[in-house]
Amino acid sequence: MHPHLQLRPVSQPGRPAAAVVAIGLDLLLMDSALQHIEQARRCMARRDSSEKQPLLAAAVQIVGELRSSLDIHEGGPIAANLDDLCEYMGRQLVAADRQNRIETLDEVSDLLREVRTAWILMPPEARRPSCMTERIR
């Protein structure tokens, strides 16, 4: 875990603290990716490619981390679809950077917001703590 990142597990009845932390980490990563994309979008709008490129590179890394936390074998078709979606979003972020396409950034942001909303609304028993949980333990 990043040394400057301090998480306080939120207690939820019937759920181990590690699972709560993992769910929080996934949301934190999604929020961070969205923030990086939004900042890159502003840079793109003012034609500042020197700041845009590291922001989008960070967003690609974050989406990659989310993708690597998926358990394709145990997660079934939902995890497989999310894996494909994360791969697509990563490719789109790279394309947006190369082509300076704000519309592509908006598309990825919209997709990521949809995933975030679905993640929050998903019943707790359907969520499997991500691989990040094992790193915390």
Side-chain angles (χ1 to χ4, degrees), residues 26-28 30-31 34 111-121:
D26 290 335
L27 290 174
L28 184 69
M30 287 183 239
D31 289 344
L34 286 166
L111 290 169
L112 199 50
R113 278 190 208 93
E114 290 281 332
V115 170
R116 187 186 187 286
T117 299
W119 182 252
I120 291 169
L121 295 175

Side-chain angles (χ1 to χ4, degrees), residues 118-137:
W119 182 252
I120 291 169
L121 295 175
M122 188 182 302
E125 60 275 3
R127 292 185 203 131
R128 179 193 166 286
S130 70
C131 295
M132 288 178 278
T133 305
E134 277 84 51
R135 287 185 230 150
I136 294 171
R137 288 184 193 168

